[in-house]
Amino acid sequence: MKVIGLTGGIGSGKTTVAAMFTELGIPVYNSDEEAKKIMEASKTVKNGIIALFGKKAYQDNKLNKTLLSEQIFQDKVLLKKLNSIVHPAVRDHFLSWVENQDAPYVVQEAAIIFENGKAESYDAIILVISPQSTRLKRVMKRDLTSKKQIMMRMENQWPDEKKIPLSNFVIQNKEKPKTWKQVQKVHRAILENIV
């Protein structure tokens, strides 16, 4: 079974594109969502996070996302340490998830495939891109957060110009009908073993 990576900068519309693959009957693994669950369910991950951030990292057994995001997006070393705790657990969970799927291929939605040096572990990479102004508007509306905070998060991700030449497919996500056509084209290409 082929494993396809789906990536893109914050607010590019990865989740929208992922939902379109789901509509086509392709199983999609959302790494961010699963990571959040693992950070609250896994004792090993929890202990690692508490060791890194202190007991304030959890409130009423729930991850204190505000505290973590305030700290990690201002400190790249801290972000790297957090990723080294969470990413291996997500990878293990993903691999066992793949074993339970029955499809010609699966898609793993992950924001920082290239930044983590994980591109080699996929059969192909789909990059979702959108203009930065559109991305900012989407995230400000979705997360009810400031432009400054979003820009800080964007700075931790590679620019599209760096990711485009490394990707097998690029989907421009501006208007849904056009995005849908691109997704169908990529789907056909994967099924026809073009990658």
Side-chain angles (χ1 to χ4, degrees):
M1 187 189 301
K2 284 184 178 175
V3 176
I4 310 297
L6 175 66
T7 194
I10 183 171
S12 61
K14 291 182 297 298
T15 304
T16 299
V17 170
M20 291 175 180
F21 278 100
T22 303
E23 270 186 64
L24 292 166
I26 300 302
V28 175
Y29 182 95
N30 183 319
S31 298
D32 284 350
E33 288 306 312
E34 296 302 332
K36 285 170 193 165
K37 290 177 196 170
I38 289 166
M39 287 161 93
E40 289 184 355
S42 164
K43 236 179 189 156
T44 310
V45 171
K46 247 177 157 172
N47 290 340
I49 291 170
I50 291 166
L52 195 57
F53 296 93
K55 287 185 179 173
K56 287 181 185 174
Y58 289 87
Q59 290 178 321
D60 302 322
N61 247 0
K62 295 275 178 209
L63 187 69
N64 185 344
K65 293 172 195 158
T66 310
L67 173 89
L68 262 67
S69 59
E70 279 172 4
Q71 292 192 31
I72 60 174
F73 292 115
Q74 292 174 11
D75 185 339
K76 286 186 179 180
V77 174
L78 204 54
L79 175 61
K80 208 171 184 176
K81 284 179 182 174
L82 176 65
N83 287 344
S84 72
I85 295 166
V86 179
H87 289 177
V90 172
R91 185 80 190 146
D92 290 346
H93 185 262
F94 171 69
L95 293 173
S96 62
W97 175 86
V98 169
E99 286 173 18
N100 294 310
Q101 304 309 312
D102 181 25
Y105 69 94
V106 296
V107 171
Q108 182 178 22
E109 180 187 341
I112 50 174
I113 288 172
F114 292 114
E115 294 86 340
N116 284 341
K118 298 290 180 198
E120 306 305 312
S121 52
Y122 298 95
D123 294 295
I125 305 274
I126 302 164
L127 174 66
V128 182
I129 61 170
S130 278
Q132 191 178 56
S133 57
T134 307
R135 291 168 58 198
L136 279 166
K137 279 181 207 159
R138 280 179 190 153
V139 181
M140 283 167 81
K141 189 178 173 184
R142 182 190 74 195
D143 296 355
L144 303 172
T145 189
S146 71
K147 186 177 177 178
K148 186 186 172 191
Q149 284 176 308
I150 299 161
M151 292 304 289
M152 275 167 47
R153 286 161 74 181
M154 283 181 172
E155 283 166 20
N156 284 309
Q157 298 180 341
W158 287 9
D160 289 341
E161 300 74 46
K162 193 173 177 181
K163 292 186 273 195
I164 289 169
L166 303 170
S167 303
N168 302 86
F169 304 100
V170 177
I171 292 176
Q172 289 212 12
N173 181 31
K174 287 183 193 171
E175 300 160 29
K176 266 190 179 172
K178 288 182 180 176
T179 303
W180 175 237
K181 280 181 183 170
Q182 293 172 78
V183 167
Q184 289 175 302
K185 192 178 175 184
V186 169
H187 175 64
R188 283 193 301 271
I190 295 167
L191 291 178
E192 290 162 11
N193 291 318
I194 291 168
V195 291

